[in-house]
Amino acid sequence: MTHFPDVAARAAAHGVTDACSLCVRGAVRQDWLPVPGDRPALLVVEAADSCIGAARRAAHAFAAVRCPAVDATDVALVVSELCTNSFRHATGWWRLRMHGHRDGLVADVDDASLRLPAPRAPDTRDGTGGMGMLLAASLTTTLDVFVHAGGKTVRVTWKTPRG
């Protein structure tokens, strides 16, 4: 299922700036079914419905609308790299979930692999990769990996600059 940024634009227009309980959760649940008190992700893009390019475009639009203080181009690049890593190094299935707030943005990329991302030397000669996690770590405020029974979640955050 894919939810596009018009949902976020409506929420932002109505002053919805409450923190999402998914963002402060200490552990990642496999099923992500709503429980009392949960607020659902505001943007969800799944591999079954979409492609990495569509996830990148949706993430850019979502960031621009929901958290304009964060560089939407950085968000799109990181989302593209994380979804590509899930496609290339896991089972091919991935899901992007994004939550936007007044003080930052959170993106979770889920896949079905239990294997942790392994840093490797970037291949700058033949272009075979090795830069995705380095880019993600350098363009975000935090990068965490949560392993659970159904696979893993790579969570990145962008905190807004304090003025």
PDB file of all heavy atoms in Angstrom, residues 27-51:
ATOM      1  N   ALA A  27      12.200  -0.529  20.519  1.00  0.00           N
ATOM      2  CA  ALA A  27      12.440  -1.697  19.666  1.00  0.00           C
ATOM      3  C   ALA A  27      11.460  -1.656  18.505  1.00  0.00           C
ATOM      4  O   ALA A  27      10.407  -1.042  18.591  1.00  0.00           O
ATOM      5  CB  ALA A  27      12.255  -2.987  20.469  1.00  0.00           C
ATOM      6  N   VAL A  28      11.809  -2.319  17.462  1.00  0.00           N
ATOM      7  CA  VAL A  28      10.972  -2.334  16.270  1.00  0.00           C
ATOM      8  C   VAL A  28      10.138  -3.604  16.276  1.00  0.00           C
ATOM      9  O   VAL A  28      10.662  -4.695  16.445  1.00  0.00           O
ATOM     10  CB  VAL A  28      11.839  -2.273  14.998  1.00  0.00           C
ATOM     11  CG1 VAL A  28      10.987  -2.378  13.761  1.00  0.00           C
ATOM     12  CG2 VAL A  28      12.636  -0.985  14.981  1.00  0.00           C
ATOM     13  N   ARG A  29       8.831  -3.443  16.083  1.00  0.00           N
ATOM     14  CA  ARG A  29       7.946  -4.604  16.005  1.00  0.00           C
ATOM     15  C   ARG A  29       7.899  -5.095  14.584  1.00  0.00           C
ATOM     16  O   ARG A  29       7.893  -4.311  13.644  1.00  0.00           O
ATOM     17  CB  ARG A  29       6.534  -4.213  16.434  1.00  0.00           C
ATOM     18  CG  ARG A  29       6.368  -4.059  17.911  1.00  0.00           C
ATOM     19  CD  ARG A  29       4.893  -4.158  18.268  1.00  0.00           C
ATOM     20  NE  ARG A  29       4.036  -3.445  17.351  1.00  0.00           N
ATOM     21  CZ  ARG A  29       3.603  -2.207  17.548  1.00  0.00           C
ATOM     22  NH1 ARG A  29       3.977  -1.545  18.598  1.00  0.00           N
ATOM     23  NH2 ARG A  29       2.791  -1.648  16.682  1.00  0.00           N
ATOM     24  N   GLN A  30       7.787  -6.400  14.417  1.00  0.00           N
ATOM     25  CA  GLN A  30       7.752  -6.989  13.078  1.00  0.00           C
ATOM     26  C   GLN A  30       6.480  -6.626  12.329  1.00  0.00           C
ATOM     27  O   GLN A  30       6.517  -6.262  11.165  1.00  0.00           O
ATOM     28  CB  GLN A  30       7.873  -8.498  13.176  1.00  0.00           C
ATOM     29  CG  GLN A  30       7.701  -9.200  11.850  1.00  0.00           C
ATOM     30  CD  GLN A  30       7.634 -10.684  12.031  1.00  0.00           C
ATOM     31  OE1 GLN A  30       7.900 -11.210  13.083  1.00  0.00           O
ATOM     32  NE2 GLN A  30       7.266 -11.386  10.976  1.00  0.00           N
ATOM     33  N   ASP A  31       5.328  -6.728  12.957  1.00  0.00           N
ATOM     34  CA  ASP A  31       4.069  -6.620  12.231  1.00  0.00           C
ATOM     35  C   ASP A  31       3.606  -5.181  12.006  1.00  0.00           C
ATOM     36  O   ASP A  31       2.902  -4.899  11.065  1.00  0.00           O
ATOM     37  CB  ASP A  31       2.971  -7.401  12.940  1.00  0.00           C
ATOM     38  CG  ASP A  31       2.775  -6.981  14.386  1.00  0.00           C
ATOM     39  OD1 ASP A  31       3.391  -5.975  14.821  1.00  0.00           O
ATOM     40  OD2 ASP A  31       2.018  -7.663  15.083  1.00  0.00           O
ATOM     41  N   TRP A  32       3.966  -4.274  12.854  1.00  0.00           N
ATOM     42  CA  TRP A  32       3.590  -2.875  12.771  1.00  0.00           C
ATOM     43  C   TRP A  32       2.089  -2.667  12.709  1.00  0.00           C
ATOM     44  O   TRP A  32       1.611  -1.709  12.126  1.00  0.00           O
ATOM     45  CB  TRP A  32       4.268  -2.186  11.593  1.00  0.00           C
ATOM     46  CG  TRP A  32       5.723  -2.014  11.858  1.00  0.00           C
ATOM     47  CD1 TRP A  32       6.711  -2.849  11.465  1.00  0.00           C
ATOM     48  CD2 TRP A  32       6.343  -1.008  12.638  1.00  0.00           C
ATOM     49  NE1 TRP A  32       7.914  -2.414  11.943  1.00  0.00           N
ATOM     50  CE2 TRP A  32       7.705  -1.280  12.655  1.00  0.00           C
ATOM     51  CE3 TRP A  32       5.881   0.104  13.314  1.00  0.00           C
ATOM     52  CZ2 TRP A  32       8.615  -0.478  13.333  1.00  0.00           C
ATOM     53  CZ3 TRP A  32       6.789   0.897  13.983  1.00  0.00           C
ATOM     54  CH2 TRP A  32       8.134   0.596  13.985  1.00  0.00           C
ATOM     55  N   LEU A  33       1.312  -3.590  13.283  1.00  0.00           N
ATOM     56  CA  LEU A  33      -0.127  -3.378  13.376  1.00  0.00           C
ATOM     57  C   LEU A  33      -0.386  -2.333  14.445  1.00  0.00           C
ATOM     58  O   LEU A  33       0.283  -2.303  15.469  1.00  0.00           O
ATOM     59  CB  LEU A  33      -0.837  -4.685  13.721  1.00  0.00           C
ATOM     60  CG  LEU A  33      -0.736  -5.778  12.658  1.00  0.00           C
ATOM     61  CD1 LEU A  33      -1.367  -7.063  13.162  1.00  0.00           C
ATOM     62  CD2 LEU A  33      -1.406  -5.330  11.369  1.00  0.00           C
ATOM     63  N   PRO A  34      -1.356  -1.475  14.232  1.00  0.00           N
ATOM     64  CA  PRO A  34      -1.619  -0.444  15.227  1.00  0.00           C
ATOM     65  C   PRO A  34      -2.079  -1.051  16.549  1.00  0.00           C
ATOM     66  O   PRO A  34      -2.800  -2.039  16.574  1.00  0.00           O
ATOM     67  CB  PRO A  34      -2.742   0.385  14.605  1.00  0.00           C
ATOM     68  CG  PRO A  34      -2.804  -0.005  13.177  1.00  0.00           C
ATOM     69  CD  PRO A  34      -2.196  -1.361  13.062  1.00  0.00           C
ATOM     70  N   VAL A  35      -1.624  -0.480  17.623  1.00  0.00           N
ATOM     71  CA  VAL A  35      -2.089  -0.831  18.966  1.00  0.00           C
ATOM     72  C   VAL A  35      -2.587   0.468  19.590  1.00  0.00           C
ATOM     73  O   VAL A  35      -2.266   1.551  19.103  1.00  0.00           O
ATOM     74  CB  VAL A  35      -0.966  -1.470  19.822  1.00  0.00           C
ATOM     75  CG1 VAL A  35      -0.499  -2.774  19.209  1.00  0.00           C
ATOM     76  CG2 VAL A  35       0.196  -0.525  20.007  1.00  0.00           C
ATOM     77  N   PRO A  36      -3.391   0.387  20.646  1.00  0.00           N
ATOM     78  CA  PRO A  36      -3.898   1.618  21.252  1.00  0.00           C
ATOM     79  C   PRO A  36      -2.755   2.587  21.563  1.00  0.00           C
ATOM     80  O   PRO A  36      -1.740   2.207  22.129  1.00  0.00           O
ATOM     81  CB  PRO A  36      -4.570   1.114  22.522  1.00  0.00           C
ATOM     82  CG  PRO A  36      -4.981  -0.282  22.191  1.00  0.00           C
ATOM     83  CD  PRO A  36      -3.890  -0.814  21.304  1.00  0.00           C
ATOM     84  N   GLY A  37      -2.923   3.820  21.138  1.00  0.00           N
ATOM     85  CA  GLY A  37      -1.920   4.848  21.377  1.00  0.00           C
ATOM     86  C   GLY A  37      -0.954   5.042  20.218  1.00  0.00           C
ATOM     87  O   GLY A  37      -0.260   6.050  20.149  1.00  0.00           O
ATOM     88  N   ASP A  38      -0.873   4.085  19.296  1.00  0.00           N
ATOM     89  CA  ASP A  38       0.014   4.230  18.140  1.00  0.00           C
ATOM     90  C   ASP A  38      -0.561   5.233  17.154  1.00  0.00           C
ATOM     91  O   ASP A  38      -1.770   5.366  17.018  1.00  0.00           O
ATOM     92  CB  ASP A  38       0.151   2.901  17.381  1.00  0.00           C
ATOM     93  CG  ASP A  38       1.366   2.107  17.822  1.00  0.00           C
ATOM     94  OD1 ASP A  38       2.138   2.606  18.657  1.00  0.00           O
ATOM     95  OD2 ASP A  38       1.522   0.982  17.327  1.00  0.00           O
ATOM     96  N   ARG A  39       0.318   5.915  16.463  1.00  0.00           N
ATOM     97  CA  ARG A  39      -0.075   6.727  15.309  1.00  0.00           C
ATOM     98  C   ARG A  39       0.594   6.068  14.114  1.00  0.00           C
ATOM     99  O   ARG A  39       1.786   5.798  14.142  1.00  0.00           O
ATOM    100  CB  ARG A  39       0.408   8.159  15.479  1.00  0.00           C
ATOM    101  CG  ARG A  39      -0.340   8.877  16.564  1.00  0.00           C
ATOM    102  CD  ARG A  39       0.171  10.311  16.655  1.00  0.00           C
ATOM    103  NE  ARG A  39      -0.564  11.030  17.648  1.00  0.00           N
ATOM    104  CZ  ARG A  39      -0.293  11.008  18.944  1.00  0.00           C
ATOM    105  NH1 ARG A  39       0.695  10.284  19.402  1.00  0.00           N
ATOM    106  NH2 ARG A  39      -1.010  11.718  19.784  1.00  0.00           N
ATOM    107  N   PRO A  40      -0.134   5.815  13.047  1.00  0.00           N
ATOM    108  CA  PRO A  40       0.463   5.104  11.913  1.00  0.00           C
ATOM    109  C   PRO A  40       1.486   5.968  11.183  1.00  0.00           C
ATOM    110  O   PRO A  40       1.495   7.188  11.308  1.00  0.00           O
ATOM    111  CB  PRO A  40      -0.739   4.813  11.015  1.00  0.00           C
ATOM    112  CG  PRO A  40      -1.720   5.875  11.362  1.00  0.00           C
ATOM    113  CD  PRO A  40      -1.527   6.172  12.829  1.00  0.00           C
ATOM    114  N   ALA A  41       2.347   5.306  10.423  1.00  0.00           N
ATOM    115  CA  ALA A  41       3.304   6.026   9.590  1.00  0.00           C
ATOM    116  C   ALA A  41       2.535   6.923   8.631  1.00  0.00           C
ATOM    117  O   ALA A  41       1.439   6.583   8.191  1.00  0.00           O
ATOM    118  CB  ALA A  41       4.156   5.032   8.824  1.00  0.00           C
ATOM    119  N   LEU A  42       3.085   8.061   8.319  1.00  0.00           N
ATOM    120  CA  LEU A  42       2.404   8.996   7.440  1.00  0.00           C
ATOM    121  C   LEU A  42       2.715   8.757   5.976  1.00  0.00           C
ATOM    122  O   LEU A  42       1.990   9.208   5.117  1.00  0.00           O
ATOM    123  CB  LEU A  42       2.773  10.426   7.828  1.00  0.00           C
ATOM    124  CG  LEU A  42       2.336  10.845   9.218  1.00  0.00           C
ATOM    125  CD1 LEU A  42       2.833  12.248   9.533  1.00  0.00           C
ATOM    126  CD2 LEU A  42       0.825  10.783   9.345  1.00  0.00           C
ATOM    127  N   LEU A  43       3.809   8.080   5.686  1.00  0.00           N
ATOM    128  CA  LEU A  43       4.131   7.707   4.313  1.00  0.00           C
ATOM    129  C   LEU A  43       4.601   6.265   4.332  1.00  0.00           C
ATOM    130  O   LEU A  43       5.497   5.918   5.100  1.00  0.00           O
ATOM    131  CB  LEU A  43       5.238   8.596   3.741  1.00  0.00           C
ATOM    132  CG  LEU A  43       5.780   8.165   2.360  1.00  0.00           C
ATOM    133  CD1 LEU A  43       4.742   8.447   1.273  1.00  0.00           C
ATOM    134  CD2 LEU A  43       7.079   8.880   2.048  1.00  0.00           C
ATOM    135  N   VAL A  44       3.976   5.426   3.529  1.00  0.00           N
ATOM    136  CA  VAL A  44       4.375   4.024   3.406  1.00  0.00           C
ATOM    137  C   VAL A  44       4.456   3.696   1.928  1.00  0.00           C
ATOM    138  O   VAL A  44       3.511   3.944   1.181  1.00  0.00           O
ATOM    139  CB  VAL A  44       3.367   3.072   4.093  1.00  0.00           C
ATOM    140  CG1 VAL A  44       3.803   1.615   3.919  1.00  0.00           C
ATOM    141  CG2 VAL A  44       3.208   3.413   5.569  1.00  0.00           C
ATOM    142  N   VAL A  45       5.604   3.159   1.504  1.00  0.00           N
ATOM    143  CA  VAL A  45       5.792   2.705   0.126  1.00  0.00           C
ATOM    144  C   VAL A  45       6.352   1.297   0.208  1.00  0.00           C
ATOM    145  O   VAL A  45       7.347   1.073   0.898  1.00  0.00           O
ATOM    146  CB  VAL A  45       6.760   3.617  -0.663  1.00  0.00           C
ATOM    147  CG1 VAL A  45       6.917   3.118  -2.087  1.00  0.00           C
ATOM    148  CG2 VAL A  45       6.294   5.057  -0.634  1.00  0.00           C
ATOM    149  N   GLU A  46       5.702   0.360  -0.461  1.00  0.00           N
ATOM    150  CA  GLU A  46       6.149  -1.037  -0.446  1.00  0.00           C
ATOM    151  C   GLU A  46       6.627  -1.462  -1.818  1.00  0.00           C
ATOM    152  O   GLU A  46       6.086  -1.029  -2.837  1.00  0.00           O
ATOM    153  CB  GLU A  46       5.004  -1.953  -0.007  1.00  0.00           C
ATOM    154  CG  GLU A  46       4.572  -1.659   1.406  1.00  0.00           C
ATOM    155  CD  GLU A  46       4.122  -2.897   2.158  1.00  0.00           C
ATOM    156  OE1 GLU A  46       4.513  -4.003   1.771  1.00  0.00           O
ATOM    157  OE2 GLU A  46       3.394  -2.721   3.128  1.00  0.00           O
ATOM    158  N   ALA A  47       7.625  -2.347  -1.836  1.00  0.00           N
ATOM    159  CA  ALA A  47       8.200  -2.832  -3.089  1.00  0.00           C
ATOM    160  C   ALA A  47       7.142  -3.495  -3.968  1.00  0.00           C
ATOM    161  O   ALA A  47       7.184  -3.373  -5.190  1.00  0.00           O
ATOM    162  CB  ALA A  47       9.332  -3.807  -2.802  1.00  0.00           C
ATOM    163  N   ALA A  48       6.181  -4.165  -3.352  1.00  0.00           N
ATOM    164  CA  ALA A  48       5.159  -4.883  -4.128  1.00  0.00           C
ATOM    165  C   ALA A  48       4.303  -3.935  -4.953  1.00  0.00           C
ATOM    166  O   ALA A  48       3.786  -4.307  -6.007  1.00  0.00           O
ATOM    167  CB  ALA A  48       4.280  -5.705  -3.190  1.00  0.00           C
ATOM    168  N   ASP A  49       4.134  -2.702  -4.493  1.00  0.00           N
ATOM    169  CA  ASP A  49       3.275  -1.721  -5.167  1.00  0.00           C
ATOM    170  C   ASP A  49       4.044  -0.719  -5.996  1.00  0.00           C
ATOM    171  O   ASP A  49       3.435   0.081  -6.698  1.00  0.00           O
ATOM    172  CB  ASP A  49       2.513  -0.882  -4.138  1.00  0.00           C
ATOM    173  CG  ASP A  49       1.620  -1.686  -3.240  1.00  0.00           C
ATOM    174  OD1 ASP A  49       1.305  -2.824  -3.579  1.00  0.00           O
ATOM    175  OD2 ASP A  49       1.252  -1.152  -2.183  1.00  0.00           O
ATOM    176  N   SER A  50       5.346  -0.684  -5.854  1.00  0.00           N
ATOM    177  CA  SER A  50       6.072   0.460  -6.343  1.00  0.00           C
ATOM    178  C   SER A  50       7.470   0.069  -6.795  1.00  0.00           C
ATOM    179  O   SER A  50       7.790  -1.100  -6.922  1.00  0.00           O
ATOM    180  CB  SER A  50       6.136   1.498  -5.213  1.00  0.00           C
ATOM    181  OG  SER A  50       6.466   2.753  -5.716  1.00  0.00           O
ATOM    182  N   CYS A  51       8.303   1.083  -7.005  1.00  0.00           N
ATOM    183  CA  CYS A  51       9.709   0.868  -7.362  1.00  0.00           C
ATOM    184  C   CYS A  51      10.547   1.831  -6.535  1.00  0.00           C
ATOM    185  O   CYS A  51      10.029   2.733  -5.882  1.00  0.00           O
ATOM    186  CB  CYS A  51       9.923   1.080  -8.853  1.00  0.00           C
ATOM    187  SG  CYS A  51       9.650   2.785  -9.392  1.00  0.00           S
TER     188      CYS A  51
END
